[in-house]
């Protein structure tokens, strides 16, 4: 039985699900808000105004263009050009060195990587698959530290010999229990000590006491409102506090007290049911009492067949197991024997990231996007306050606080709506018996509060220099013309946009912010795309589908992209861009790095001295390879579109983390 006619890999399956909104409340989306806000202005302000008049030939337009082009950019390098090929490209004058690859040793007793003879035991000691988020905890300034890396998911078609291009097309017959066990070990995260040598090059510290692998089987605990709740209890964990593993960890964050936050994103894809229709789709009754809530979260999606081999991933037998995923996991990288904690106070949804900032009053604020079309932007404010002299107390800061969801209004204001049980519609009459229900069903609670449905909110990054917060809105091809609003201004938004939030008085705990749009993405040379950049942007400075972001020590914003299998719509591979956010050049992009064919650009991250940028290239040779002219077919382990980064006939493509440094040393991008 072919379950997914036309889906060729895990990424396509997850993207296809992203195209199916689970939010039933779309009466007033962010697109409606954007249209109402900007559509009634006779003169637009800021970058949007410059771009709009720049499309005319009036003297005002020419003056605006000249002003932007004569301004001094903060991003200084010769741009990488748009394109697609088998390798990576970095700006001239820079080195992009491979630091860690899938299969490289992490633990001291890890065997050498042998792609033809993989095992779960070996993989649990080696660098995992599909590296996404990258964090850095300094141990010696900017010369030595702990690299913390998420391993989001596995791509079995290019990971295992003999499984073919579509290992799930025939009901996963090629995916044996042995291969599933390797997949389970390849998920999670890695903590690896790295050091910069006298030559300025970075390398892992072999056998470091800090090195650690976290997998989909690593024992974890939970705290906060849902810990121990009956909806988190299973036959293997009747107390509801001991959870095995984490998976589909996309972006994340590092805290001020030196811990590593792993965001659980597409957890729905890992759960199985035997109750399916003729096309292999789960029946609406799956989950019993949890069925309606399953539907809002897309559970079970059956992207993996783990539930065939392990009861805990089969919702017919363990309907509460999905409620144990979709959280933020905190890891102490300084203690490889510590137990990771799932903080239920931060809510359960498809977390893209968990970027934090210490507010002026000491409270910690964590921002996160729910990565699905027409879902929401969230904020958590800790009840306690950060104390730089009490790390033990800081380790409890994410255990208690207030979770809120954003409503974007046409006047450019943003209101944070608290998800607090007993307030407004969050009552027993509406299905919320306690705060535990509110956080477990955070999406449903946000629906009730009237949050603004967004165009796939992914990374949400605060800028500690300026106090502003940037939201990467990746795309939303499902948005209709009557659904556009002030904060989501385009129907059929294939290319996404970058939104800026400004806290009132610099207070990240304030109930109200203001917001604006920095750029509308895509190729501005194509009128129907509706892109909007500063006129000074070059032909290589535009980008599509912003995903992750980072802010360097001087406050500059850097954006990475993930077009997935849709990269042929733009005709160029993903990469890293510097993006001006202030002054005459606001809204100007500049390309710094480009990935090989079929890959996604993740990271980025800077050392404290801004002299190294770490980036993560994941799933090379998978996305859209049928559209890659030199290849024109689906990749397999035996026949991939590229063998990056080793380019050896005996090696498959390998997701890798790179360290980018300036030749001769110095600050990146100056």
């Amino acid at each position: 039985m072919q379950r997914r006619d036309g889906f060729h890999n895990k990424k396509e399956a997850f993207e296809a699900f992203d195209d199916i909104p689970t939010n039933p409340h779309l009466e007033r989306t962010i697109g409606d808000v954007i249209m109402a806000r900007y559509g009634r202005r006779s003169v637009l302000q800021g970058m949007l105004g410059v771009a709009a008049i720049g499309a005319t030939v009036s003297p005002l337009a020419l003056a605006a263009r000249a002003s932007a082009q004569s301004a001094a950019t903060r991003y200084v390098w010769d741009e990488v050009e748009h394109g697609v090929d088998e390798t990576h490209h970095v700006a001239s004058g820079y080195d992009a060195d491979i630091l860690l690859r899938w299969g490289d040793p992490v633990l001291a007793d890890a065997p050498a990587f042998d792609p033809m003879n993989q095992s779960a035991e070996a993989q649990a000691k080696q660098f995992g698959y599909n590296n996404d988020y990258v964090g850095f905890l300094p141990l010696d300034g900017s010369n030595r530290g702990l690299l913390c890396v998420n391993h989001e998911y596995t791509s079995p078609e290019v990971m295992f010999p003999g499984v073919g291009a579509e290992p799930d097309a025939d009901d996963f017959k090629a995916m044996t229990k042995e291969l599933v066990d390797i997949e389970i070990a390849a998920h999670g995260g890695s903590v690896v000590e790295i050091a910069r040598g006298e030559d300025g090059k970075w390398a892992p510290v072999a056998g470091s006491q800090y090195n650690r692998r976290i997998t989909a089987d690593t024992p974890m605990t939970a705290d906060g409102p849902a810990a121990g709740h009956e909806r988190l209890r299973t036959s293997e964990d009747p107390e509801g506090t001991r959870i095995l593993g984490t998976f589909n960890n996309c972006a994340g964050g590092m805290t001020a007290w030196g811990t590593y936050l792993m965001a659980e994103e597409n957890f729905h894809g890992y759960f199985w049911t035997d109750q399916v229709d003729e096309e292999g789709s789960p029946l609406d009754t799956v989950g019993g009492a949890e069925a309606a809530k399953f539907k809002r979260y897309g559970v079970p999606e059956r992207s993996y067949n783990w539930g065939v081999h392990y009861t805990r991933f089969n919702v017919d037998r363990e309907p509460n197991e999905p409620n144990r995923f979709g959280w933020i996991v905190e890891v102490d990288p300084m203690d490889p024997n510590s137990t990771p904690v799932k903080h239920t106070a931060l809510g359960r949804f498809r977390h893209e990231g968990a970027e934090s900032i210490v507010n002026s009053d000491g409270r910690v604020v964590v921002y996160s996007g729910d990565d699905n079309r027409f879902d929401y932007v969230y904020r958590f404010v800790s009840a306690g306050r950060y104390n730089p002299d009490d790390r033990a107390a800081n380790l409890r800061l994410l255990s208690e606080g207030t979770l809120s969801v954003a409503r974007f209004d046409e006047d450019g204001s943003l209101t944070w709506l608290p998800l607090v049980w007993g307030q407004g519609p969050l009552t027993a009459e509406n299905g919320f018996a306690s705060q535990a229900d509110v956080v477990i069903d955070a999406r449903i609670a946000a629906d009730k509060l009237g949050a603004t449905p967004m165009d796939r909110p992914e990374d949400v990054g605060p800028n500690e220099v300026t106090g502003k917060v940037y939201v990467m809105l990746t795309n939303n091809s499902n948005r209709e013309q009557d659904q556009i609003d002030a904060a989501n201004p385009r129907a059929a938004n294939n290319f996404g946009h970058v939104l800026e939030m400004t806290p009132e008085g610099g207070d990240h705990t304030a109930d109200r912010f203001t917001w604006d749009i920095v750029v509308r993405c895509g190729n501005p040379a194509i009128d129907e795309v509706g892109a909007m950049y500063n006129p000074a942007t070059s032909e290589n400075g535009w980008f599509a589908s912003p995903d992750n972001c980072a802010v360097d020590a001087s406050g500059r914003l850097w954006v990475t992209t993930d077009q997935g299998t849709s990269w042929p719509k733009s005709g160029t591979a993903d990469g890293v861009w510097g993006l001006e956010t202030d002054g005459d050049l606001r809204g100007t992009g500049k390309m710094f790095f480009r990935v090989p064919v079929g890959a996604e650009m993740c990271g980025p991250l800077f050392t404290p001295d801004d002299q190294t940028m770490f980036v993560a290239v994941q799933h090379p040779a998978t996305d859209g390879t049928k559209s890659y002219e030199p290849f024109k077919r689906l990749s397999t382990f035996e026949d991939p579109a590229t063998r990056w980064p080793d380019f050896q006939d005996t090696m498959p493509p390998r997701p890798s983390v790179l360290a980018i440094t300036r030749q001769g040393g110095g600050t990146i991008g100056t």
Side-chain angles (χ1 to χ4, degrees):
M1 177 182 64
Q2 183 164 331
R3 187 178 60 84
R4 278 200 176 85
D5 186 21
F7 295 173
H8 303 306
N9 54 49
K10 293 291 190 294
K11 185 63 176 291
E12 287 192 12
F14 284 134
E15 284 182 347
F17 189 83
D18 283 339
D19 283 333
I20 305 171
T22 64
N23 186 352
H25 303 283
L26 302 181
E27 297 84 4
R28 180 181 178 277
T29 70
I30 193 66
D32 300 320
V33 178
I34 289 180
M35 178 56 70
R37 180 180 182 194
Y38 293 112
R40 65 170 177 251
R41 289 186 179 182
S42 58
V43 178
L44 304 184
Q45 297 179 349
M47 185 281 301
L48 289 174
V50 172
I53 61 176
T56 73
V57 293
S58 68
L60 180 59
L62 296 175
R65 188 184 305 272
S67 175
Q69 291 177 338
S70 64
T73 179
R74 296 190 297 164
Y75 302 89
V76 182
W77 65 82
D78 293 330
E79 275 191 280
V80 173
E81 295 183 352
H82 283 297
V84 185
D85 59 29
E86 294 185 30
T87 192
H88 66 269
H89 299 266
V90 69
S92 61
Y94 290 84
D95 291 327
D97 300 312
I98 306 298
L99 179 60
L100 286 162
R101 302 162 297 180
W102 165 49
D104 282 348
V106 171
L107 303 187
D109 58 345
F113 179 56
D114 182 352
M116 299 302 297
N117 296 284
Q118 300 178 51
S119 71
E121 182 182 14
Q123 178 64 90
K125 300 175 181 180
Q126 298 165 335
F127 196 64
Y129 203 81
N130 272 347
N131 34 237
D132 194 301
Y133 174 75
V134 179
F136 181 77
L137 176 62
L139 295 177
D140 178 16
S142 293
N143 294 314
R144 188 169 68 94
L146 302 183
L147 205 68
C148 303
V149 183
N150 283 351
H151 301 300
E152 186 177 4
Y153 65 96
T154 48
S155 303
E157 70 276 16
V158 291
M159 186 177 178
F160 302 127
V163 304
E166 302 175 78
D168 61 343
D170 193 20
D171 216 16
F172 295 96
K173 287 182 179 178
M175 293 303 296
T176 64
K177 182 178 181 297
E178 179 183 21
L179 296 186
V180 164
D181 288 343
I182 297 170
E183 285 192 304
I184 288 172
H187 279 69
S190 293
V191 177
V192 182
E193 183 178 355
I194 60 173
R196 180 161 51 185
E198 293 183 1
D199 60 355
K201 301 296 184 180
W202 289 87
V205 176
S208 168
Q209 62 176 322
Y210 299 109
N211 287 5
R212 181 179 190 178
R213 271 304 320 281
I214 294 165
T215 75
D217 269 341
T218 299
M220 302 186 175
T221 189
D223 70 5
H229 190 270
E230 61 182 2
R231 293 178 63 195
L232 264 65
R233 298 172 189 166
T234 66
S235 59
E236 293 184 356
D237 176 26
E239 301 300 320
T241 57
R242 184 180 184 275
I243 300 170
L244 289 183
T246 184
F247 42 75
N248 212 274
N249 304 98
C250 199
M254 300 296 291
T255 67
W257 51 97
T259 59
Y260 159 37
L261 303 182
M262 307 173 70
E264 296 179 335
E265 192 193 19
N266 289 308
F267 66 92
H268 63 286
Y270 295 78
F271 291 98
W272 188 266
T273 179
D274 297 313
Q275 303 177 56
V276 296
D277 59 23
E278 293 181 355
E279 296 180 352
S281 298
L283 300 177
D284 289 341
T285 55
V286 170
E290 294 284 320
K293 293 162 184 176
F294 273 14
K295 187 174 182 180
R296 182 66 178 90
Y297 282 86
V299 174
E301 210 258 337
R302 301 200 347 159
S303 288
Y304 291 82
N305 67 328
W306 297 2
V308 172
H309 303 289
Y310 292 99
T311 297
R312 72 184 181 105
F313 297 110
N314 189 320
V315 299
D316 302 337
R317 299 181 178 92
E318 292 288 359
N320 282 347
E321 189 72 17
N323 294 337
R324 294 149 67 88
F325 296 88
W327 305 102
I328 296 298
V329 183
E330 185 174 19
V331 177
D332 184 357
M334 296 296 293
D335 181 2
N337 297 312
S338 61
T339 301
V341 180
K342 297 197 177 190
H343 290 298
T344 67
L346 277 73
R348 174 175 164 266
F349 47 90
R350 285 165 59 181
H351 290 271
E352 167 69 19
E355 298 287 358
S356 63
I357 190 168
V358 177
N359 197 49
S360 56
D361 64 358
R363 286 182 289 175
V364 175
V365 177
V366 181
Y367 293 98
S368 191
D370 186 349
D371 185 9
N372 203 171
R373 286 161 175 80
F374 297 114
D375 260 293
Y376 308 127
V377 174
Y378 294 83
R379 179 190 72 176
F380 171 83
V381 179
S382 68
R385 287 170 167 75
Y386 169 68
N387 182 347
D389 300 319
D390 192 346
R391 191 167 188 265
N394 295 334
L395 287 168
R396 299 189 295 272
L397 283 174
L398 304 186
S399 304
E400 183 181 358
T402 301
L403 179 68
S404 301
V405 66
R407 188 188 72 216
F408 295 83
D409 292 314
E410 290 89 342
D411 62 357
S413 66
L414 181 164
T415 301
W416 291 105
L417 310 170
L419 278 71
V420 177
W421 182 72
Q423 294 185 13
L426 306 185
T427 61
E429 291 77 14
N430 286 316
F432 302 98
S434 66
Q435 185 65 20
D437 284 331
V438 171
V439 295
I440 293 171
D441 299 327
R443 278 186 167 182
I444 300 171
D447 294 343
K448 296 287 186 183
L449 291 174
T452 304
M454 307 294 286
D455 284 353
R456 276 190 68 191
E458 298 213 38
D459 230 356
V460 184
N463 186 329
E464 294 191 13
V465 176
T466 66
K468 296 179 183 293
V469 184
Y470 293 94
V471 184
M472 304 296 111
L473 296 162
T474 297
N475 53 49
N476 187 353
S477 57
N478 285 8
R479 189 175 292 279
E480 302 290 342
Q481 190 66 37
D482 61 356
Q483 294 175 318
I484 60 177
D485 57 40
N488 295 274
R490 283 184 291 183
N493 181 9
N494 290 312
F495 304 107
H497 53 290
V498 176
L499 187 145
E500 178 185 76
M501 306 187 299
T502 304
E504 288 189 354
D507 181 4
H508 287 266
T509 71
D511 294 335
R512 288 173 66 86
F513 285 20
T514 57
W515 66 268
D516 208 340
I517 295 175
V518 183
V519 291
R520 291 182 357 193
C521 303
N523 188 346
I526 303 174
D527 290 342
E528 55 267 31
V529 167
M532 201 168 285
Y533 292 84
N534 191 294
T537 300
S538 78
E539 62 182 0
N540 295 304
W542 60 267
F543 52 88
S545 297
D547 185 342
N548 299 133
C549 65
V551 177
D552 64 21
S554 65
R556 298 178 300 175
L557 179 66
W558 301 76
V559 176
T560 66
T561 62
D562 175 18
Q563 301 170 87
T565 55
S566 295
W567 68 258
K569 292 180 181 178
S570 73
T572 189
D574 290 319
V576 181
W577 279 260
L579 181 62
E580 297 277 7
T581 56
D582 299 299
D584 290 339
L585 285 174
R586 176 177 166 86
T588 306
K590 193 168 186 179
M591 195 196 305
F592 182 70
F593 183 91
R594 199 182 83 209
V595 301
V597 62
E600 170 189 350
M601 185 79 268
C602 302
L605 181 83
F606 291 86
T607 51
D609 63 5
D610 281 346
Q611 293 192 20
T612 302
M613 174 196 286
F614 299 108
V615 295
V617 174
Q618 70 171 351
H619 59 77
T622 64
D623 282 353
T625 58
K626 290 181 72 174
S627 298
Y628 179 47
E629 284 297 330
F631 194 69
K632 299 291 284 186
R633 57 191 181 274
L634 298 176
S635 285
T636 63
F637 178 93
E638 294 80 8
D639 178 35
T642 177
R643 291 189 181 274
W644 185 92
D646 299 299
F647 293 105
Q648 297 176 8
D649 291 342
T650 57
M651 282 291 174
R654 300 169 73 181
S656 303
V657 173
L658 297 85
I660 301 176
T661 53
R662 189 171 175 176
Q663 293 170 359
T667 302
I668 298 289
T670 61

